[in-house]
Amino acid sequence: MLAAERNATMKDRTATKTHIQISRQELYDFIENFFDRIKADPEIYYNKLKRRLQEIGKDRFFEEMARIRTAPTRIKKRKEEIAEAKSDEEKRVYRELGKLDEFEFQLYEKQAFFLLSYHLLKMWTTQYYMVIQENGLDPERLQQLVFERAAEWFEPPEGWTYKNAEAALEPLRKAGEAFDEMLARPLDPYALMLNGPATNSLKEIGPKTKRAWQDPDKGEGKLITTAGTKVTMYNFTSLGGMDVKTHKLFDMCARFITPKISKDDIYKKFDPIKEQRTVQITVKKYMELTGLKDRKEAARQLKEAADRLYNMSIEFDMEVSYPGQRKKESEHWKTRILDSQAERKRGTFLLVLTSDMWRYFQRVPPMPFNQKLWEVSGKVNPNAYAFGFKLFAHHNMNLTKPNANRISVSTLLDAGPSIPRYEEVMAGNRNITDRIITPFERDLDVLVDLGILKSWEYCNIKGEPLTNEQLDLENYDVFSQLLINFELKDYPDQTERIKKLQAAKKSHRPRAKAR
């Protein structure tokens, strides 16, 4: 509809823009009213589905039959695709596609044409099934309508209802669900995200962070991270400090702004327009990224995190290099995170970064970030998100060094927002194991469970295994001086990047003076 209107008014570009904007608004209103009408009178929608099913002709079924007839060829191709797949996830997707092909071909071979037609009609009405589920209607009504239409094409077995058809297709349904779940995730869970020391150190802040907030009596919370970033939270008494969902939303902003950032004009002084600085996150997308099932809970988390980001400012020093200058200059930065209160429109949150945050992201490098980390539960594993992020940043920064997969326990302890300091524990119940070591290991283990880490283990400075004396982890002095050796799962191949980094290092190595 919008395309037709655009073509009709193409001669007048100004009028076209206005016309399209009005039409888009009208379209949004129509969609919203449409869903309201469905809930008010479901029979309207069921009658629409009945007409839609009548429009699907039997010739379409025979076209699909021709495709299914070639399933053995496709199954053979699937096996080749599985063999050539570069990741485990990709292999699983091809296996699930192969299962669907095999199941449909078996129905075709058995001449179970009624069941095959029911299955295909169900697939062709998936979008309507989703609308029914979203609006709380009865999905069995659609199954009954599909059954009746399939019965017009082929006679069902005697005494069958749609329930028999659903039961017969149960194996296919399970395979399809698994396939849909895999498609919802990217084959490569990693994506590039801009990051820098000033913002990375925010992860060590939690609701009850071991670095106590100052000035809460003034309605503000202030603290300084280990990297020297000064953080101010306005409306602190009502909103509280940062928590895991706030860190997640900040990193989603960084992740989704990354493709928009251009490094070409990094030294040009200009004010990026609002559209460039805007990140849109729908409640549905947030649910997909975090694994949440409750829409209301997801919307609540988004709103709370957005409010905290808006009421937050950071202050830090940053070294910046300019063209023609050999030495880096130290610049002082002080900026809020968001330009304005997050705007919510029809389940979509609009978050506008400040111009300074945009410029900050221009000046920091990207790193591979495993988006599965967003599935971590901040309530169950309050340190896991900070641990995972720290491991990504550490590995990325030391990619060409021997310690890329080794990090000290003390560094991770500093990063864990909910792990108390040694002095605090000794001033209390003195239970080092329960208050420090157990949550430390628990929140690293969950990264293995989520498929973010392949493994982790304690080690010494060069990766040597622990001695018998070091196995006594209840001794805090021993525990705090250990390192952990970790392996990231499904980490993207960095061969070319390592070659470039090593070449750059050689080109900057000082040469011996000529005699």
Side-chain angles (χ1 to χ4, degrees), residues 195 366-368 391-399 491 494 497:
N195 76 110
M367 74 171 182
L391 295 180
F392 297 150
H394 175 86
H395 184 79
N396 183 63
M397 186 171 59
N398 298 284
L399 193 60
Y491 199 74
Q494 301 290 297
R497 184 176 162 220

Side-chain angles (χ1 to χ4, degrees), residues 53 148 175 191 202 261 270 312 315 325 332-333 342 429 460 468:
L53 285 165
E148 290 171 0
L202 299 177
I261 295 287
F270 76 103
M312 177 181 172
E315 186 176 353
Q325 295 181 3
H332 186 73
W333 292 62
N429 64 5
N460 283 295
N468 290 334

Side-chain angles (χ1 to χ4, degrees), residues 197-399:
T199 50
N200 288 357
S201 66
L202 299 177
K203 302 297 178 294
E204 67 195 42
I205 303 173
K208 298 178 181 179
T209 184
K210 51 187 175 288
R211 291 168 183 78
W213 292 90
Q214 304 296 318
D215 294 339
D217 54 324
K218 296 180 181 178
E220 294 181 355
K222 294 184 178 181
L223 58 74
I224 301 176
T225 69
T226 53
T229 303
K230 296 179 181 179
V231 182
T232 300
M233 293 291 294
Y234 307 103
N235 295 318
F236 181 80
T237 49
S238 59
L239 293 175
M242 296 185 75
D243 57 7
V244 174
K245 62 177 175 286
T246 312
H247 293 305
K248 288 180 182 180
L249 186 58
F250 178 85
D251 291 336
M252 287 177 190
C253 288
R255 159 71 188 95
F256 297 131
I257 209 73
T258 296
K260 297 183 179 182
I261 295 287
S262 171
K263 302 281 186 180
D264 297 335
D265 49 11
I266 185 172
Y267 302 112
K268 296 177 183 177
K269 292 186 176 180
F270 76 103
D271 191 19
I273 61 175
K274 183 178 178 180
E275 284 75 10
Q276 289 176 301
R277 297 181 278 116
T278 300
V279 175
Q280 296 187 34
I281 301 179
T282 64
V283 175
K284 182 179 179 182
K285 184 66 175 177
Y286 185 80
M287 292 171 68
E288 290 175 2
L289 294 171
T290 59
L292 288 172
K293 304 299 182 185
D294 188 330
R295 186 179 178 87
K296 288 185 179 179
E297 173 62 15
R300 183 191 67 79
Q301 287 192 16
L302 258 175
K303 185 181 184 307
E304 285 185 8
D307 286 345
R308 286 195 175 109
L309 287 183
Y310 172 63
N311 282 276
M312 177 181 172
S313 72
I314 55 176
E315 186 176 353
F316 55 92
D317 292 319
M318 181 180 183
E319 288 191 338
V320 181
S321 59
Y322 287 93
Q325 295 181 3
R326 297 184 65 181
K327 291 185 177 180
K328 291 184 177 181
E329 292 184 10
S330 180
E331 292 184 352
H332 186 73
W333 292 62
K334 185 175 182 180
T335 177
R336 292 183 75 138
I337 305 295
L338 298 182
D339 213 9
S340 56
Q341 194 85 34
E343 187 178 353
R344 183 177 179 182
K345 291 183 177 180
R346 295 183 178 85
T348 300
F349 284 77
L350 304 178
L351 301 103
V352 184
L353 298 174
T354 61
S355 296
D356 281 339
M357 278 307 304
W358 170 274
R359 294 188 184 94
Y360 169 77
F361 282 129
Q362 273 192 316
R363 287 160 172 76
V364 296
M367 74 171 182
F369 174 84
N370 191 327
Q371 296 173 105
K372 288 182 181 178
L373 190 61
W374 285 325
E375 297 177 18
V376 163
S377 168
K379 291 182 179 179
V380 181
N381 304 98
N383 306 291
Y385 190 80
F387 285 172
F389 197 97
K390 187 70 177 180
L391 295 180
F392 297 150
H394 175 86
H395 184 79
N396 183 63
M397 186 171 59
N398 298 284
L399 193 60

Side-chain angles (χ1 to χ4, degrees), residues 430-449:
R430 305 172 69 87
N431 194 329
I432 298 297
T433 299
D434 284 352
R435 298 193 63 191
I436 296 180
I437 299 175
T438 297
F440 178 84
E441 295 179 342
R442 175 200 66 202
D443 289 358
L444 279 174
D445 285 341
V446 77
L447 298 180
V448 178
D449 297 338

